Amino acid sequence: MGNLCSLFAPPKPVKKRRPIKKRQPSLSGSGSGPNTNRLNRFRSSSSNKFDDAVTQEQALAAAAILSRQQKSGGSLPFERSASQRHPVSGSKKNQLPRSSSTRSRSSTDPLLQPHQFLNQGVKLDDLETNHFILIHGGGFGAWCWYKTIALLEEDGFKVTAIDLAGCGINSFNINGIASLSQYVKPLTDILEKLPIGEKVILVGHDFGGACISYAMELFPSKISKAVFLAAAMLTNGQSTLDMFSLQAGPNDLMRKAQIFIYTNGNEHPPTAIDLDKSLIRDLLFNQSPSKDIALASVSMKSIPFAPVLEKLSLSDGNYGSVRRYYIETLEDNAIPVTLQENMINSSPPEKVYRLKGADHAPFFSKPQALHKLLLEIARNIRPT
């Protein structure tokens, strides 16, 4: 999957320090003085280095646990967080903790306490559905939602994250995918098996927006709401390639990062698209923690080309009957805000939210803020 070293900045040169003269220890016992300050700085530096190493190991461990979990329990969805598992209990003593992620909280992140959603006077039983289905974007997999899964489950929601065909640990050959229906079959299989009367909230990221649109046309009665997260929200007769062609000229970062794969020979259309690993940090993760970039670097796969070319057939009676929401990512280099707003203006959703400071992977760069918006959307009743 490429050299991880290309994703990180080179270490800064270490300056030589002058020898420190020994001083008599302070006798005041107050904890102040130059020796104490120097000791505190040393402890802080050591702690930061330790935290960085631990958090990176946690991210990679999450991917490994998720892989083992899916292999042992089935090929597609999983319904518990890969980052941390705890027994559910009704007592306050055993309430679920927050996500095991140790990312430093940003000053712009909402301060959500465990079960705050329930404490706001909104009961899960009063909602049309408490089941989220998360659909990843091109090249990603179910693994990318590990923070979102943990946060939603801690508020009592049921969460299913899916590996689309050839993605994550799904073993289908990416280069053999010839249609959008083939690519999204793991999603349509789940929707088809839902009991009569049961509904879900679909969340689609990036190319996952086209995937949930396809599902909305097929199963409108089983979808309560659809959330487009920095996603391709297309109109009838439009393909994802049509949408991306509206971007800037040939020198934009997305075009530079694309590497086309021709499994059937150069005289035939590409079968898949790879992304240059040396550019994905700037393209997808310009605001994300290093530990999550490391996870993505060893987990991302190729994007099948045929589904990107396919024009969607969307009707007002089916696709148009599902309530749609769009979440803009304001620091996005893959799908810039201007392109997101172009899609919104072409087919206005019920409501638009904006995530300040979020790159193209808000589940990494702004997990708490994204979680808050998903809760708000879940409890949003249909306007009268």
Side-chain angles (χ1 to χ4, degrees):
M1 296 301 293
N3 191 340
L4 284 180
C5 296
S6 63
L7 299 177
F8 300 93
K12 296 180 180 180
V14 179
K15 296 182 179 179
K16 294 184 178 180
R17 295 184 178 180
R18 296 179 180 178
I20 300 175
K21 296 181 179 180
K22 293 185 178 181
R23 298 189 181 184
Q24 293 297 324
S26 173
L27 300 177
S28 62
S30 61
S32 61
N35 288 337
T36 302
N37 292 336
R38 188 178 299 110
L39 179 60
N40 289 339
R41 285 196 300 270
F42 173 78
R43 287 173 176 169
S44 176
S45 174
S46 300
S47 176
N48 289 338
K49 292 178 180 177
F50 177 77
D51 288 344
D52 288 343
V54 170
T55 54
Q56 183 166 331
E57 288 178 4
Q58 285 178 335
L60 297 175
I65 293 171
L66 172 57
S67 177
R68 290 196 300 270
Q69 182 186 12
Q70 288 184 285
K71 286 179 179 177
S72 62
S75 60
L76 298 174
F78 63 95
E79 297 182 1
R80 289 299 301 162
S81 167
S83 60
Q84 199 165 16
R85 296 182 64 118
H86 296 271
V88 178
S89 172
S91 68
K92 292 185 178 180
K93 178 185 293 186
N94 294 321
Q95 282 182 344
L96 290 169
R98 303 306 293 168
S99 168
S100 62
S101 167
T102 55
R103 182 182 76 89
S104 299
R105 187 184 297 275
S106 166
S107 60
T108 60
D109 281 350
L111 299 175
L112 293 176
Q113 299 300 322
H115 303 288
Q116 180 179 345
F117 178 73
L118 303 180
N119 294 337
Q120 290 175 338
V122 181
K123 296 180 180 179
L124 288 176
D125 293 340
D126 295 337
L127 302 178
E128 186 176 20
T129 179
N130 69 345
H131 186 182
F132 279 92
I133 294 183
L134 309 178
I135 306 301
H136 61 81
F140 289 86
W143 52 266
C144 73
W145 299 105
Y146 78 96
K147 294 180 182 179
T148 304
I149 294 167
L151 292 169
L152 287 172
E153 287 184 338
E154 287 163 16
D155 278 319
F157 286 90
K158 179 181 179 181
V159 187
T160 305
I162 297 174
D163 280 322
L164 298 177
C167 302
I169 67 166
N170 186 287
S171 59
F172 200 94
N173 180 10
I174 281 284
N175 292 288
I177 296 175
S179 66
L180 186 59
S181 63
Q182 199 174 19
Y183 183 57
V184 304
K185 192 175 186 302
L187 169 61
T188 54
D189 282 350
I190 287 179
L191 293 175
E192 192 172 21
K193 294 174 183 176
L194 280 179
I196 296 175
E198 184 175 331
K199 293 189 175 187
V200 299
I201 298 174
L202 291 184
V203 182
H205 169 246
D206 183 78
F207 185 37
C211 299
I212 67 172
S213 297
Y214 181 89
M216 291 158 65
E217 180 66 24
L218 291 181
F219 304 99
S221 64
K222 295 187 176 185
I223 302 168
S224 170
K225 297 165 185 172
V227 183
F228 292 78
L229 175 62
M233 187 171 67
L234 309 178
T235 57
N236 181 45
Q238 190 179 34
S239 71
T240 303
L241 185 64
D242 293 334
M243 181 270 293
F244 274 110
S245 69
L246 299 175
Q247 286 199 79
N251 292 324
D252 72 275
L253 189 57
M254 173 64 82
R255 293 178 189 268
K256 288 181 180 179
Q258 290 175 347
I259 302 172
F260 291 94
I261 301 172
Y262 295 84
T263 302
N264 299 325
N266 292 339
E267 67 277 10
H268 297 285
T271 53
I273 309 169
D274 265 342
L275 295 177
D276 187 335
K277 292 294 188 293
S278 68
L279 296 177
I280 64 169
R281 182 169 196 158
D282 290 336
L283 179 65
L284 305 176
F285 310 116
N286 49 295
Q287 301 294 321
S288 295
S290 293
K291 62 163 185 165
D292 293 320
I293 301 174
L295 173 62
S297 298
V298 298
S299 304
M300 292 190 72
K301 292 187 175 181
S302 302
I303 305 164
F305 190 65
V308 176
L309 290 177
E310 190 168 325
K311 297 182 183 295
L312 293 184
S313 178
L314 305 174
S315 65
D316 291 337
N318 291 346
Y319 169 84
S321 68
V322 180
R323 300 173 68 188
R324 287 181 293 125
Y325 300 82
Y326 199 98
I327 300 178
E328 291 185 357
T329 43
L330 302 188
E331 305 297 329
D332 196 325
N333 290 334
I335 305 183
V337 174
T338 52
L339 182 54
Q340 295 180 52
E341 292 182 345
N342 183 292
M343 292 186 287
I344 290 167
N345 293 333
S346 297
S347 180
E350 183 174 315
K351 192 167 183 178
V352 177
Y353 299 89
R354 312 188 87 194
L355 270 179
K356 184 178 180 181
D359 56 21
H360 191 59
F363 35 76
F364 290 157
S365 56
K366 285 291 177 182
Q368 293 279 357
L370 172 60
H371 172 62
K372 181 181 179 182
L373 293 184
L374 293 179
L375 294 185
E376 183 173 335
I377 291 171
R379 70 170 180 261
N380 197 336
I381 61 172
R382 185 179 291 275
T384 55

